Amino acid sequence: MHFFENFHLSKQKTLLILMAFMFSVGARFLWVDWAYDIGDIFINNGVLMINTNDGYAFAEGARDMLAGFHQENDLSYYGNPLSTLTYWIVKYMGIKLEFVMLYLSVFLSSLICVGVLLIAFEYNQAKAGFAAALLAGVANSYYNRTMAGYFDTDMLTVVIPVFIVWGLIRVLERKNPFDIIIAPLFVLLYNWWYTSGFSLVSLTTLLFGLYTLVFDRKNSLNYLTLALMLIGIASLNFYLKILLILAVYFYVIYSKNKLNIKISFALLFVSFLLFTIMGGLNPIWFQLKFYIFRDSAELANTSFRYFNVNQTIQESSMIDLQIFCERISSSVIVFICSLVGLGFFCYKYKSFIVSFGMLALGFMALKGGLRFTIYAVPIMAMGFGYFVYILLNFFKLKNGFFSAIYALIVLGALYPSIMHIKQYQVTTVFYANEVENLEKIKKIADREDYVLAWWDYGYGLRYYSDVKTLIDGGKHLGRDNYAVSFALFKDQNASANMARLEVEYTQRNFKEKFGTNLNQMIKEYGSNSLDEFLILLNDKNFKTPPKTREIYYYLPERMLDIFPTIVQFSNLDLNTGKKYSDPFFIVFSDEYIKKHIISFSDDHKTITINGEEIELDGYFESRYDENEKLQITSNFYDMTSGFYVIYMRDQGKYLLLDKNMLNSTFIQLYVLENYDKELFEPVILDRAAKIYRLKK
Ligand code: MN
């Protein structure tokens, strides 16, 4: 038999694969249709924008690769695998970058259907496989992380392991030497695509080894496959690994000794040695630490106790059992059927246990957080497919009946997923009017300039404005966020000083590598303690380092909603890690006034919330005049409550806040446009976002 004949698929099987694939693709267009119907607000440059922050990192990398250059230390994802793939598609297929960003996940993630069906074909279980493939493509958590516009590595992080599992199962089921290359090649691909995939691949390799020891000891092909897998995950040069794997493979295929168990053992021994010498055993499980041990994310090179960002990331939080089931199988019933089916399936087809690495990783969600559930999706879906198959066989249904009931059950199981997809109407990360502002910054700012903004906007700013940022979706540890939080929360003097310090020290730190910026500042300014240093920053005449570039503040309206969270990162005593009391800050709409939940006295000197009366120290009202200029009326009262109200008339929003929040740079610059003319210069004063240049 020739090499390619071995991989021939019948027309029927090809058709099943195509149908499942198209279903998965089609389901992802429901969101695209919905979003295009909403219209302009989600559209930039004629194309629907993406809905994941991190996507802009890959997009920035691809944009820079297309341009052929990027700036030193601009944190661009230049050369990143997803950026590179995107670059190839744009460059060699001539597809617009924005289209690739929107649709790549739709097509790549749907390949999961292909992998699931290929596995099922190895067991001659096309019917079970088809149901499984349909479900795997659209199950809740898998959909959420691979929908259209979800431009992230997730689009292949589950697909590739499914193909690895397929390759291993095929070796075990067919015992054909041609097949031993499949899994190792996908391991190499995974290696390139997703560096954190190491633990999953090691676990899968281990399971394959265990299966061999228990059920298939005499098969030399298994040892050869193991050897190739170990080379695949060893920390060696990528190209060297490809060469080694191909060399061993062709030796096996073309040599007469290919079934000699001694030679197989010798090869396995050598590759295991290679794997171990290169440190292969050390990092196993190590990468999962960040998610298992929640509080150890901060690196040890600082004595300060920053606010840990893990505490605010939703995807790492504990989840309850029902959500867990729904994320994996879209409904609790389907989840239970899947478990039962999986039990029977593994009993009948023991080699399927090589997929249990994925299952285990998925079930780690119970401990480690939502993000892991996606790995269990295809494995549990296979369980469901087999459940349907044995159920119908149990009742010995004739062909016509079989098909009808099969279709009914599968549609019933898919129904919750489709409902979920219809309800999952996420918005794009940026709105069109925000992007307009970002594109204006691009024209104003130099590529070496910094834009100070919260990390949510980091990647997007870098993509649309091509500037540098202090924090982003990948750089947001407590120590990174501290300075930006400080600059938004403190008054304008302290803010300006901190912004200049942080930018200049960040730039120096790339070369000098002096640990945390803050420690170095304290040292160089000769302060005895952090507190002493922070007091210096309140001085307008504080001598900041020489200015090497411009700094812009990006203050979007949307930040009003997350401002209390932002404040947490600097509103604490870094020496002890203890939080200061939360500042008072409430945003409410004028609906509350209309519904009489909240009311003001006629003179606006008191506000009543739930029957509780609060005296105000001041009442401000902002509104836009006919020239789209912000007008502020302010009234200060002689009270001592420390509470203020700002009414943003055009947005229909009220802010109830304390003095610290009122004086914060964000509120002064964004809400009131009350900037210190010696420190800041407005560049763009738009409703959606305000951008100031730091004059210091
Ligand atoms: Mn750049």
Side-chain angles (χ1 to χ4, degrees), residues 175-189:
K175 308 193 190 306
N176 180 337
F178 282 127
D179 296 329
I180 65 171
I181 192 83
I182 302 173
L185 284 185
F186 280 106
V187 167
L188 285 178
L189 182 65

Side-chain angles (χ1 to χ4, degrees), residues 60 63-64 71 74 466:
E60 181 198 19
R63 179 205 65 200
D64 287 345
Q71 293 67 50
D74 65 356
D466 200 357

Side-chain angles (χ1 to χ4, degrees), residues 432-451:
N433 53 356
E434 293 171 317
V435 171
E436 267 172 44
N437 290 321
L438 298 183
E439 286 174 337
K440 276 184 210 156
I441 302 179
K442 184 175 189 168
K443 292 198 183 107
I444 296 163
D446 186 86
R447 289 194 172 102
E448 285 288 345
D449 292 345
Y450 271 79
V451 173

